[in-house]
Amino acid sequence: MSDLVTGDAVVVDVQTAQLPVRVAAFLIDLLVQAVAMTLVVLVVTNSTTVADSSLAQALLILFVVLVFVGYPVLTETLTRGRTLGKLALGLRVVGDDGGPELFRQALFRALAGFVEIYAFSGGPAVICSLVSAKGKRLGDVFAGTMVISERGPRAVGPPPQMPPQLAGWAATLELSQLPEDLIHTARQYLTRRDDLSPAAEHEMGARIAARTIALVSPPPPPGVPPHAYLSAVLAERRRRHLDRLLRRAAARSAAHPHGPARSYGPAQPYPAVFAQPDGPAPPRTAAPPPASPGGFAPPL
């Protein structure tokens, strides 16, 4: 686990990606790039329009750059810090301030990675990752980024409580535009606000509350402090989420009141307990012993 300071000056707990997981994600991306490069080579070498060998070599160099540099830049920019390998293993590239990865940061990482990974067989990247406390390779150091694991455990504090005076107002809130990153930032602020000085606590709370007010309607009543407003928003969101879960469970129970029906195939007849009529079972009598060859029954 590592402490990361967001753009709102709130310290959050994140889990930095471990080197073996990053290597596995890189191998997945390398497989995708190798397949793309193989297709490019086959198209260029078998194309009848490319008769000049120098033109073919220029096209191959261009496609090498596009595949090994353009692929990570494009995917990490469009998916906010994830390639196919990182997506498969739950990794993401973020800035040192906790913000999403920018285009220039993805470009710096890709250019540095082409040198430290492909030109030097990954030696500088592995050494730097082992030395860095946050597992950064040289590209992360130059770009100001780090790779985190989104599937790792997070330290979760107690859920925010609804201020009683804001319960009626919170029931009318429109919360569909509230993003997950802002929710997590507000939750971390409420968890750690007692550790802050009063001035810093009020400044951070006002900043996070201002971002929340821009996405949530109606605005809070006049005079509500930022921490109370954020507590009401998060508590109401959690209450609605629990209500949805309870409604779905009730709907499933109503659809199957006795549980799933048990079926018996032709080779599996109903058990005898279901075939017997109601009432006491008839008494069982012992079968007579078989007769002897001479016609007389043996003595009991």
Side-chain angles (χ1 to χ4, degrees):
M1 301 290 276
S2 175
D3 287 342
L4 184 147
V5 182
T6 68
D8 293 304
V10 178
V11 180
V12 298
D13 295 325
V14 296
Q15 182 177 9
T16 57
Q18 300 298 318
L19 181 60
V21 182
R22 294 186 63 175
V23 171
F26 168 75
L27 292 178
I28 296 175
D29 291 328
L30 184 61
L31 178 62
V32 174
Q33 292 169 316
V35 171
M37 199 63 211
T38 302
L39 295 177
V40 167
V41 171
L42 291 177
V43 171
V44 173
T45 55
N46 296 328
S47 178
T48 57
T49 59
V50 182
D52 190 0
S53 60
S54 60
L55 178 59
Q57 292 178 357
L59 289 176
L60 287 177
I61 293 175
L62 175 62
F63 283 115
V64 165
V65 175
L66 290 178
V67 170
F68 290 97
V69 176
Y71 163 76
V73 172
L74 182 63
T75 54
E76 288 183 7
T77 302
L78 294 179
T79 61
R80 301 171 69 89
R82 293 183 293 184
T83 59
L84 293 179
K86 293 182 177 65
L87 179 63
L89 297 181
L91 305 181
R92 183 189 290 273
V93 182
V94 297
D96 286 337
D97 61 347
E101 184 186 21
L102 304 177
F103 171 78
R104 61 175 179 81
Q105 293 174 320
L107 181 60
F108 274 116
R109 293 186 78 255
L111 293 176
F114 190 82
V115 176
E116 64 177 325
I117 296 177
Y118 298 107
F120 291 95
S121 303
V126 173
I127 295 174
C128 187
S129 297
L130 293 176
V131 173
S132 173
K134 295 184 178 181
K136 291 187 174 187
R137 64 177 178 87
L138 292 177
D140 293 315
V141 174
F142 296 150
T145 57
M146 60 183 295
V147 182
I148 64 172
S149 175
E150 296 183 312
R151 297 176 183 173
R154 292 180 177 177
V156 180
Q161 301 299 318
M162 172 67 71
Q165 68 274 16
L166 298 178
W169 163 82
T172 64
L173 290 177
E174 170 59 39
L175 303 174
S176 60
Q177 302 299 321
L178 202 58
E180 289 294 333
D181 57 346
L182 183 56
I183 294 171
H184 183 63
T185 300
R187 186 180 296 115
Q188 289 289 331
Y189 158 74
L190 292 174
T191 303
R192 295 173 176 259
R193 59 182 293 263
D194 293 334
D195 300 331
L196 303 174
S197 65
E201 184 270 332
H202 179 75
E203 180 183 358
M204 294 178 189
R207 191 180 306 156
I208 300 173
R211 291 178 56 193
T212 307
I213 290 174
L215 301 172
V216 175
S217 60
V224 175
H227 66 87
Y229 167 71
L230 295 174
S231 296
V233 171
L234 296 185
E236 177 63 20
R237 180 180 180 274
R238 182 173 181 271
R239 184 191 67 80
R240 295 182 186 182
H241 179 67
L242 294 178
D243 286 345
R244 285 194 297 268
L245 294 180
L246 291 176
R247 286 196 298 268
R248 292 174 186 173
R252 286 194 296 266
S253 299
H256 304 284
H258 302 293
R262 185 178 179 183
S263 60
Y264 296 90
Q268 297 177 346
Y270 284 95
V273 66
F274 295 119
Q276 293 178 357
D278 296 336
R284 299 180 60 181
T285 59
S292 63
F296 296 100
L300 297 176

